[in-house]
Amino acid sequence: MLDANIKTQLKAYLEKITQPIEIVASLDVDAKSVELRELLQEIDSLSDKTSYREDADAQARKPSFMINRPGTDISVSFAGIPMGHEFTSLILALLQVGGHAVKLDEAVIEQIRNLPGDFVFETYFSLSCQNCPDVVQALNAMAVINPRIKHVAIDGALFQQEVQERNILSVPAVFLNGELFHQGRASAEELLAKLDAGDTEARAQALDAKDEYDVLVVGGGPAGAAAAIYAARKGIRTGVLAERFGGQVLDTMSIENYISVVETEGPKFAAALEQHVKAYDVDIMNLHRAAGIRREGRQILVDVDGGGQLKAKSVILATGARWRELNVPGEQEYRNRGVAYCPHCDGPLFKGKDVAVVGGGNSGVEAAIDLAGLVRHVTLIEFGEQLRADEVLQRKLRSLPNVKIITQAQTTEVLGDGAKVVGLRYLDRQGQQSHTLDLDGVFVQIGLVPNTEWLKGSEVALSRHGEIEVDVRGATSLAGVFAAGDVTTVPYKQIIIAAGEGAKASLSAFDYLIRNSADVQEVAEESATA
């Protein structure tokens, strides 16, 4: 099942196991059970610290398997065959159950270890979902750290009956003790924050206690990461406040236009950004959202949602953008219950069903092409008179037999039955007639909106589209505050442009500091003579 190269690499990884592990499979006679048996036996043959056995009564779901550390309560489980994006999750589970260190901050590990109570997690994933591995790996790691935490990762495409019974129309979907707990990408820190929400006051106090930064970067995407690196390399006190490090890149399937990187996936690129920033002396404050900004004398103050305030001599705003919503009745009510924004993640859950894609740009047409290979039928709905996607994509789309294109159509409502999406209503803009489509899912692909709601009413000027207005140096209307990336008026929302703008804003901030701070002038002079 595994080719020779993968076996060689996996064998090398398994040499890092320090404690014996036991793989216990629950199988039946179907083809997927046969396939899983072959995979697990191949893995067992690659290490003398693994053992394999079958126990049909060990788990109700079939095919499934547990990875146990004998003599302990440490165990993680998979229901299905964790290949595709989840193959890395399988490797990490083998290593961590086998004694290899979990790579989390010691404070986070200690907080996980001290969680009170028992927790049984079930995570539904799809093999094509680039967001799912983060959640699966985080909960597996938590189960290894704290044996009172149990976790099973379930391939939703393989266990369709469960998916339908639980009305799961978006992955990853995490259930805790039988109740829906979380949907969407999340790190161990984010999941832990939801479990242990009582530390809000302590988190706010910790922010208040931090010393003044020379440069405070708000946002952890490509622009924010580049800004932080350029600032830290100047030897000045640098901090990053981020809601989730990596930003929108985390939701990007494939990156093929970042110069010198032929091809990569968004989550991998985001991890590389974070690793690069951590190579420098940067204070990263993750899982925090800025709530306001103002200047008081020589200081710039940034208020943090949930409490706490940070002080800085200069600030770089790089809060990025997010998927634009339809803002029609039914969209929020049926979000993750048929309304989706990631075709790669959620597409497999709509196998054999009818869906619509709203948006005729590149992202919308690409989504329709991808979905056409999975679902029964795709209807693409475009507001304008014609599609806006590249011609090569349009030709591919029009060649598909199970796709219908409707132009000059304004989506007016997402319809549901109280539990899930059942249709979509749109207005024919030419004839002014209302039409209804019977559907199981609606994928929204209509562009981006800047994350600037928190700046409204501040001294930072925004364009009529809500973007931060910047000059050629990245300076905003508020002295000492700069901005970069998709949140600004700079055209062409591309990763490489955001990174370059982040570097430029950081250099501009340093120049501002030199002209306004004797301390930074001394640092610059020391760097020049070193």
Side-chain angles (χ1 to χ4, degrees), residues 404-525:
K404 179 180 180 180
I405 300 170
I406 302 175
T407 57
Q408 297 197 67
Q410 179 181 354
T411 301
T412 56
E413 186 177 2
V414 175
L415 306 173
D417 62 3
K420 63 184 184 302
V421 167
V422 297
L424 176 147
R425 185 170 289 127
Y426 71 91
L427 176 68
D428 179 349
R429 297 177 56 237
Q430 191 171 28
Q432 292 299 303
Q433 293 178 319
S434 181
H435 301 273
T436 300
L437 297 174
D438 294 331
L439 299 167
D440 300 292
V442 177
F443 288 81
V444 182
Q445 301 281 289
I446 55 173
L448 302 171
V449 59
N451 295 317
T452 55
E453 288 83 359
W454 66 284
L455 292 171
K456 292 177 180 177
S458 74
E459 295 181 55
V460 177
L462 304 178
S463 73
R464 64 187 181 90
H465 298 296
E467 298 170 323
I468 299 173
E469 294 182 346
V470 293
D471 65 15
V472 294
R473 299 175 67 254
T476 73
S477 58
L478 181 58
V481 177
F482 303 81
D486 288 2
V487 75
T488 72
T489 51
V490 172
Y492 311 121
K493 311 305 184 186
Q494 298 290 308
I495 294 172
I496 195 165
I497 292 174
E501 291 294 311
K504 181 173 72 175
S506 191
L507 293 172
S508 297
F510 185 68
D511 182 69
Y512 167 84
L513 291 173
I514 289 177
R515 297 172 187 275
N516 291 274
S517 170
D519 294 339
V520 173
Q521 178 66 47
E522 291 176 4
V523 171
E525 291 173 353

Side-chain angles (χ1 to χ4, degrees), residues 255-500:
I255 299 170
E256 299 176 350
N257 56 0
Y258 195 88
I259 309 307
S260 82
V261 179
V262 176
E263 183 179 3
T264 187
E265 295 173 351
K268 291 181 180 178
F269 188 84
L273 287 178
E274 186 170 10
Q275 184 178 12
H276 196 171
V277 173
K278 286 182 175 179
Y280 294 92
D281 186 15
V282 176
D283 184 10
I284 298 177
M285 295 158 282
N286 206 5
L287 308 184
H288 289 289
R289 179 188 299 176
I293 186 170
R294 65 189 182 278
R295 171 179 281 282
E296 289 189 1
R298 57 175 291 277
Q299 268 190 343
I300 301 166
L301 304 178
V302 175
D303 297 319
V304 181
D305 191 22
Q309 187 180 83
L310 297 171
K311 305 171 287 292
K313 296 175 183 175
S314 68
V315 172
I316 297 172
L317 304 177
T319 48
R322 63 188 183 277
W323 290 115
R324 187 179 298 277
E325 298 176 350
L326 292 168
N327 292 319
V328 299
E331 180 180 21
Q332 293 304 320
E333 182 181 356
Y334 293 103
R335 190 184 183 106
N336 296 325
R337 293 194 293 166
V339 175
Y341 301 84
C342 179
H344 304 292
C345 304
D346 301 331
L349 300 177
F350 294 85
K351 185 176 181 180
K353 298 181 179 181
D354 296 333
V355 303
V357 173
V358 182
N362 281 350
S363 61
V365 171
E366 288 174 349
I369 292 170
D370 289 343
L371 289 167
L374 295 168
V375 304
R376 182 168 57 192
H377 189 270
V378 179
T379 302
L380 187 140
I381 298 174
E382 162 59 24
F383 182 85
E385 294 182 4
Q386 57 188 14
L387 301 183
R388 295 167 286 109
D390 295 342
E391 183 60 33
V392 63
L393 293 174
Q394 292 192 42
R395 286 199 300 269
K396 174 62 176 176
L397 181 70
R398 295 180 193 281
S399 72
L400 300 173
N402 61 334
V403 172
K404 179 180 180 180
I405 300 170
I406 302 175
T407 57
Q408 297 197 67
Q410 179 181 354
T411 301
T412 56
E413 186 177 2
V414 175
L415 306 173
D417 62 3
K420 63 184 184 302
V421 167
V422 297
L424 176 147
R425 185 170 289 127
Y426 71 91
L427 176 68
D428 179 349
R429 297 177 56 237
Q430 191 171 28
Q432 292 299 303
Q433 293 178 319
S434 181
H435 301 273
T436 300
L437 297 174
D438 294 331
L439 299 167
D440 300 292
V442 177
F443 288 81
V444 182
Q445 301 281 289
I446 55 173
L448 302 171
V449 59
N451 295 317
T452 55
E453 288 83 359
W454 66 284
L455 292 171
K456 292 177 180 177
S458 74
E459 295 181 55
V460 177
L462 304 178
S463 73
R464 64 187 181 90
H465 298 296
E467 298 170 323
I468 299 173
E469 294 182 346
V470 293
D471 65 15
V472 294
R473 299 175 67 254
T476 73
S477 58
L478 181 58
V481 177
F482 303 81
D486 288 2
V487 75
T488 72
T489 51
V490 172
Y492 311 121
K493 311 305 184 186
Q494 298 290 308
I495 294 172
I496 195 165
I497 292 174

Side-chain angles (χ1 to χ4, degrees), residues 72-181:
T72 74
D73 293 328
I74 295 173
S75 175
V76 299
S77 300
F78 291 87
I81 307 173
M83 299 299 287
H85 286 291
E86 293 300 340
F87 188 62
T88 300
S89 302
L90 170 58
I91 295 173
L92 283 174
L94 291 165
L95 293 178
Q96 291 169 354
V97 174
H100 191 64
V102 175
K103 291 185 178 180
L104 290 173
D105 291 340
E106 282 302 319
V108 174
I109 291 175
E110 190 63 20
Q111 193 177 354
I112 293 170
R113 189 176 287 126
N114 293 330
L115 280 173
D118 296 308
F119 306 89
V120 178
F121 287 100
E122 299 165 291
T123 300
Y124 291 84
F125 66 85
S126 70
L127 295 178
S128 60
C129 171
Q130 78 271 23
N131 293 327
C132 296
D134 278 7
V135 175
V136 171
Q137 291 165 24
L139 288 170
N140 281 348
M142 292 170 67
V144 171
I145 294 167
N146 183 344
R148 297 182 70 178
I149 298 173
K150 300 300 179 186
H151 179 229
V152 54
I154 306 159
D155 182 355
L158 199 58
F159 293 89
Q160 281 283 332
Q161 184 174 347
E162 287 186 41
V163 166
Q164 292 172 9
E165 289 173 352
R166 286 182 156 176
N167 289 321
I168 298 169
L169 294 171
S170 179
V171 290
V174 181
F175 286 75
L176 171 58
N177 299 333
E179 299 294 328
L180 184 63
F181 172 73

